[in-house]
Amino acid sequence: MPGYTFHHMTLPGKTAIAGVGSTAFGKLPGRSAWSLQTEAVKRALDDAGLEKEDVDGLLTAPPLSEPLLLHAEQLGGKLGLRANYLSQKFIGGATAVALVAEAAMAVQAGLCEVAVCVYGENAKTGLPMLFGRVQMGRGQAASDDIAYGLAGGPIMEARAARRYMNEFGVTEEMLGSVAVAFREHASRNPGATYRDSLTIEQYLENRYVSEPLRVLDCTIGASDGAVAVIVTSAERARDLAKPPAYIAGVGVAANLQGLSDPDHYTSYPGARSSQTAYRMAGLEPTDVDVAQFYDCFTSTVLITIEDYGFCKRGDAGHFAADGNLRLGGSLPSNTSGGMLSEANLVGWNVLAEGIRQIRGESTSQVDGAEVGIVAGQGGFHAAHSTLLLTREAR
Amino acid sequence: MPHTLTELVAGAVPIVVEETRGYWEGTLAEELRIQRCNSCGHRQMPWGPCCARCLSQDLGFQLASGRGTVFSFTTVRQAIHPDFSAQVPYIVADIQLEEGPVITSNVTDVAPEDVSIGMSVQMWFDKELEDAFHVKLRLPKFKPSEA
């Protein structure tokens, strides 16, 4: 680990999430991404007890179905905002948590007071999500690899999953135990896309997309929906409608060496982003009561559990199979059903659930949850973001 | 020139650009060229605009032997890109070249259940293709080494 020291640390506990707004998730025909994004913003403001005029910062992630270069400007216009801080970010699935981190920095640095972070998508019923040359660019490795039929997330991830499983003796049943646990949580969430019970036997009968990954190992392909999150100072958050979820630590790390780094397959930059967040917060993995992993794939969850220090390298499969991720286990995780069963809002629904847990509002509430961790992962192991939320200011 | 935007952005044939022209020219001569930095000797795949170790733009190449091992692989059962629907199941693999770098390709001429990590493979070149701008190229692929 790099020897980060935080001699002049001003971030931990000085900012908080004061509001969260979600639309319905799933199939929402006739709704534009704009209408979903603006609805989520309105819901987040109502949740916090704030007015539009209170907002002076806007941070957006463009929809994957329409990756607009001027998304933040356009959305700000539709919302009729006058902002002191404006930003747009896209680092794949790491964006949601990284955007909250950026909002906290902007608030703490005095650039703005009340920042709204928002993402919304109608990729289920509108245009499909775009990947490949549109986002990677002509002649880039990731798009040239399409020539070999390497097109689509599951195929990209499956090679890493295979290498990880081979190295540590992780079984398909262990992968399946992640899907089963998160489905159990989704079954209690009325807003989840998949709520039918799932057994490990049913999982093992499920067809492969790209071996060793089955349909049930992969995130829901696309969902319509939007999430907005309001970040403000801890002081201001205490006067608002809902209990603050204090931002205790954040981290964003990247490994951009791709296949030239063999570790790329069995460890993510989450090992570094979580260390940064833990150090900033003065917390340890054993302090964490509830986790929301970026569950684009079951294998991603297992590797992140290890990167975050919840168990030793190679042990996460056993950890999951022993029931630790279920409500009542030692690390209840993805308690809304996550991207595997609730919705694919590219990590934003996972972030929203992390906030609900700290407020005591989850449909699979962890009793007395004081410390929660939220993960974001983008670009097939390239970028990772970590957020530590606490019920008490630290 | 590509006829449609879709052809440009969603076609399955690589598009030859300045940084990769030398790589793809090599394939027409059945050469797998590993990019090599003339300043520090770093070898990298795929080709880039600069050395990812020292940032020099003085770049050349060395020829790969074509021998390697399977670093990891997946058997694709459901094609996501429509051009590959008729080919399933097919094997996408990361091949560690004898010279060190890892490249993505296909393993052919073998049943999926007979592929394993660490298996020795040998390069071959698939038929000539044309990119969206009519530049010719061939794809290096791999099959099990003959014992």
Side-chain angles (χ1 to χ4, degrees), chain A residues 38 53 131 238 296:
Chain A
T38 52
E53 289 66 33
F131 276 112
R238 279 191 278 273
C296 48

Side-chain angles (χ1 to χ4, degrees), chain B residues 17-82:
Chain B
V17 295
E18 290 71 11
E19 284 80 17
T20 58
R21 193 168 303 277
Y23 173 76
W24 291 116
E25 280 173 1
T27 66
L28 296 174
E30 301 203 8
E31 291 177 0
L32 177 60
R33 297 175 174 176
I34 299 172
Q35 193 172 40
R36 186 177 180 282
C37 175
N38 290 331
S39 298
C40 78
H42 178 61
R43 289 171 299 187
Q44 62 186 15
M45 292 293 284
W47 284 31
C50 68
C51 171
R53 185 161 75 187
C54 75
L55 306 186
S56 167
Q57 297 202 3
D58 181 10
L59 301 166
F61 62 84
Q62 72 177 72
L63 295 187
S65 69
R67 288 184 296 271
T69 54
V70 173
F71 187 80
S72 194
F73 70 101
T74 178
T75 305
V76 180
R77 298 283 175 186
Q78 177 192 341
I80 295 164
H81 192 292

Side-chain angles (χ1 to χ4, degrees), chain B residues 80-107:
Chain B
I80 295 164
H81 192 292
D83 286 13
F84 295 89
S85 301
Q87 294 181 32
V88 292
Y90 63 92
I91 298 159
V92 174
D94 299 320
I95 307 298
Q96 180 140 41
L97 302 174
E98 192 174 65
E99 294 79 9
V102 177
I103 68 168
T104 299
S105 183
N106 296 128
V107 177

Side-chain angles (χ1 to χ4, degrees), chain A residues 318-366:
Chain A
H318 293 284
F319 185 78
D322 290 346
N324 288 295
L325 307 184
R326 301 169 59 192
L327 188 61
S330 71
L331 186 69
S333 300
N334 297 51
T335 44
S336 65
M339 291 167 61
L340 291 171
S341 284
E342 185 192 29
N344 180 358
L345 265 289
V346 200
W348 288 78
N349 56 311
V350 171
L351 167 65
E353 174 66 5
I355 300 162
R356 286 192 295 264
Q357 279 288 350
I358 291 303
R359 293 168 161 194
E361 293 177 346
S362 173
T363 50
S364 291
Q365 183 60 43
V366 174

